[in-house]
């Protein structure tokens, strides 16, 4: 990463106060018209959550496009319910209506539709990058659940937003919390960001026990119900490394002023400490419906009763712990990659995606996930990051390195959160 990026951070959008990059303001005539939404990855956990929210908010939003990776059955049910003019299936070969778009290009097609105002990108991994870039260049708001977009190509995303006038509003609960706390205050007023982590299913496990962790163990998250890949990322704490890198790019805060603290109850979603010593926190029940709705409406609010009212007594006690970084090395590896910049974040992300896929297939142990990431970073640290092609080459090389280390064949790319 360049010195300038390390000191000030890239803001993927127009210049202004931190928050959603580009300092998004109230949408023009936001309350006066129904806004079109494209949901990319509509059959995954974030996509289905978003559709529940959109179903309740039909007076304010319409579903203009739906895309899925391969779950044609659920996608067809969603299309019947919301009747969007555009439906896309990335992995063709499944029976589907003749008017559906197919192939990876359907993601970009959905993101650039004229009737789409907001692109909710819930595609897992680097596969979501092109749709984010295209949406920003087309002047769309990108409600980003695909954190890998910023991890892999934060500078490219910044350039795309500047070129087209688009903006990013985060969907991740931690970054949504920071956005709500920061508002339009400048980055110069922020002393620290503190992202909370649940600690995942292995928070109380010893290092020796972690070496025996199974797929079933890793998928038993104590507070969140998420897709398989992101649930494993939560177990390794790789997810928190991705979120720190994302926060760096979203809010323009140097890495040495972004910290992680374990908060098992997942009620406080992040803290922001300001230069005068004041600290703001965003608190709420652990439901992704809340940050999804806010990403659609920011900076406005819409009345919604989909989530139960917050009960501070029932939520108590709230506890906090230091991260056991030595037992969860994926977090430290990701932070090192973020600080290094260049192709390192893309290599970290791709190696992690491939290692998690192998773990879920039973071809790699839980402890070997971090080892595979570290080996890829060591071997490929000199790769170029000068443009999209170079970053995709680094991505492919990292996947290949992990596969070769595990003695397996083709690459795996997850598709939906």
């Amino acid at each position: 990463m360049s010195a300038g990026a390390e000191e000030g951070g890239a803001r993927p959008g127009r210049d202004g106060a931190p928050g959603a990059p580009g300092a998004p303001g109230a949408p023009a005539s936001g309350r006066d018209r129904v806004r079109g939404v494209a949901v990319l990855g509509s059959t995954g956990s974030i996509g289905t959550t978003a559709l529940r929210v959109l179903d309740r908010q039909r007076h304010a939003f319409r579903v203009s496009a739906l895309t899925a990776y391969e779950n044609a059955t659920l996608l067809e049910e969603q299309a019947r319910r919301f009747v969007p003019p555009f439906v896309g299936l990335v992995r063709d070969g499944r029976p589907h209506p003749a008017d559906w778009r197919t192939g990876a290009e359907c993601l970009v097609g959905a993101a650039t539709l004229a009737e789409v105002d907001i692109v909710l990108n819930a595609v897992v991994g680097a596969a979501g990058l092109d749709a984010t870039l295209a949406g920003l260049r087309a002047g769309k708001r990108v409600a980003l659940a695909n954190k890998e977009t910023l991890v892999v190509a934060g500078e490219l995303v910044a350039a795309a937003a500047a070129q087209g006038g688009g903006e990013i509003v985060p969907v991740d609960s931690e970054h949504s919390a920071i956005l709500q706390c920061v508002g339009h205050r400048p980055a110069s007023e922020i002393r620290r960001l503190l992202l909370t982590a649940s600690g995942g299913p292995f928070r109380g496990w010893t290092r020796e026990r972690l070496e025996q962790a199974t797929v079933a163990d890793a998928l038993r998250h104590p507070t969140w119900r998420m897709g398989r890949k992101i649930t494993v990322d939560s177990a390794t704490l790789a997810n928190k490394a991705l979120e720190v890198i994302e926060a760096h790019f979203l809010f323009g805060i140097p890495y040495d002023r972004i910290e992680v603290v374990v908060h098992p109850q997942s009620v406080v979603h992040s803290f922001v400490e300001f230069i005068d010593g004041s600290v703001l926190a965003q608190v709420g029940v652990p439901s992704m419906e809340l940050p999804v709705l806010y990403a659609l409406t920011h900076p406005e609010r819409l009345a919604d009763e989909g989530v139960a009212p917050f009960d501070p007594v029932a939520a108590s006690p709230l506890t906090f712990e230091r991260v056991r970084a030595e037992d969860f090395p994926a977090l430290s590896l990701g932070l090192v990659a973020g600080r290094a910049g260049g192709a390192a974040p893309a290599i970290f992300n791709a190696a992690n995606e491939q290692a998690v896929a192998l773990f879920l297939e039973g071809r790699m142990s839980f402890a070997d996930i971090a080892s595979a990431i570290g080996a890829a970073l060591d071997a490929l640290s000199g790769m170029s990051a000068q443009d999209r092609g170079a970053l995709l080459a680094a991505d492919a090389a990292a996947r290949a390195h992990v596969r070769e280390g595990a003695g397996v064949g083709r690459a795996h790319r997850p598709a939906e959160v």
Side-chain angles (χ1 to χ4, degrees):
M1 179 173 297
S2 67
E6 176 63 31
E7 292 169 3
R11 292 188 189 172
R14 297 173 296 278
D15 290 338
S29 64
R31 292 188 182 275
D32 300 330
R33 66 182 180 89
V34 176
R35 285 167 280 174
V37 181
V39 182
L40 312 185
S42 66
T43 60
S45 63
I46 294 295
T48 54
T49 297
L51 290 178
R52 287 197 301 273
V53 172
L54 290 166
D55 208 10
R56 296 195 300 267
Q57 298 288 344
R58 288 179 182 250
H59 62 287
F61 304 100
R62 67 179 180 278
V63 176
S64 297
L66 294 171
T67 74
Y69 180 60
E70 64 179 357
N71 191 342
T73 300
L74 180 54
L75 181 61
E76 190 165 12
E77 293 176 11
Q78 294 172 341
R80 282 197 300 267
R81 182 169 185 83
F82 292 97
V83 198
F86 185 106
V87 181
L89 187 67
V90 172
R91 189 173 179 182
D92 201 1
R94 273 64 175 167
H96 59 77
D99 61 343
W100 285 12
R101 307 322 197 316
T102 57
E105 58 272 18
C106 75
L107 299 174
V108 171
T112 54
L113 283 177
E115 53 263 57
V116 166
D117 301 291
I118 303 170
V119 179
L120 194 149
N121 190 346
V123 177
V124 170
L129 173 59
D130 285 346
T132 293
L133 295 176
L136 292 171
R137 289 179 183 130
K140 314 293 187 184
R141 166 174 290 189
V142 176
L144 191 66
N146 173 269
K147 63 177 68 66
E148 294 86 353
T149 287
L150 286 174
V151 171
V152 171
E155 301 290 350
L156 294 182
V157 172
Q163 176 185 347
E167 61 183 3
I168 290 180
V169 180
V171 170
D172 275 346
S173 60
E174 296 83 358
H175 304 89
S176 177
I178 293 169
L179 174 58
Q180 293 177 65
C181 291
V182 169
H184 291 291
R185 295 179 181 89
S188 60
E189 292 185 7
I190 300 171
R191 178 180 293 164
R192 285 189 302 162
L193 303 179
L194 289 90
L195 280 65
T196 56
S198 69
F202 300 142
R203 180 174 62 89
W205 288 38
T206 63
R207 190 177 309 181
E208 293 72 24
R209 191 180 176 194
L210 283 170
E211 293 177 356
Q212 307 302 318
T214 67
V215 172
D217 293 330
L219 294 178
R220 281 195 283 266
H221 197 282
T223 53
W224 295 97
R225 295 295 172 262
M226 305 176 290
R228 286 161 59 87
K229 190 265 182 183
I230 194 172
T231 302
V232 175
D233 283 352
S234 179
T236 64
L237 295 190
N239 191 51
K240 208 51 54 176
L242 297 173
E243 289 173 2
V244 169
I245 298 171
E246 182 183 11
H248 167 73
F249 280 108
L250 284 171
F251 302 104
I253 303 300
Y255 285 106
D256 61 2
R257 285 163 43 200
I258 306 174
E259 300 178 17
V260 176
V261 63
V262 173
H263 171 48
Q265 295 80 24
S266 300
V267 171
V268 178
H269 300 295
S270 278
F271 299 91
V272 178
E273 182 180 61
F274 296 95
I275 54 176
D276 63 357
S278 299
V279 178
L280 294 182
Q282 193 269 336
V283 177
V285 297
S287 169
M288 286 305 298
E289 294 189 18
L290 296 173
V292 165
L293 178 59
Y294 190 70
L296 297 172
T297 65
H298 170 80
E300 300 174 346
R301 306 271 181 178
L302 285 179
D304 188 81
E305 297 181 355
V307 176
F310 179 66
D311 183 343
V313 175
S316 298
L318 303 181
T319 60
F320 302 90
E321 306 166 8
R322 307 238 178 245
V323 175
R324 291 162 44 210
E326 66 280 4
D327 293 333
F328 297 93
L331 173 59
S332 297
L333 288 168
L335 298 183
V336 169
R339 290 188 176 98
I347 292 166
F348 171 82
N349 176 71
N352 176 64
E353 285 186 14
Q354 188 65 70
V356 169
L358 294 174
F359 170 67
L360 289 170
E361 294 168 2
R363 300 187 181 192
M364 180 176 285
S365 73
F366 181 81
D368 284 341
I369 294 174
S371 297
I373 296 169
L377 285 168
D378 288 342
L380 305 171
S381 59
M383 293 195 71
S384 170
Q386 65 180 357
D387 54 27
R388 174 183 173 278
L391 289 169
L392 293 180
D395 178 287
R399 294 174 195 275
H401 191 279
V402 172
R403 293 195 310 277
E404 290 164 6
V408 298
R410 67 180 182 84
H412 176 90
R413 284 183 179 272
E416 294 164 354
V417 176

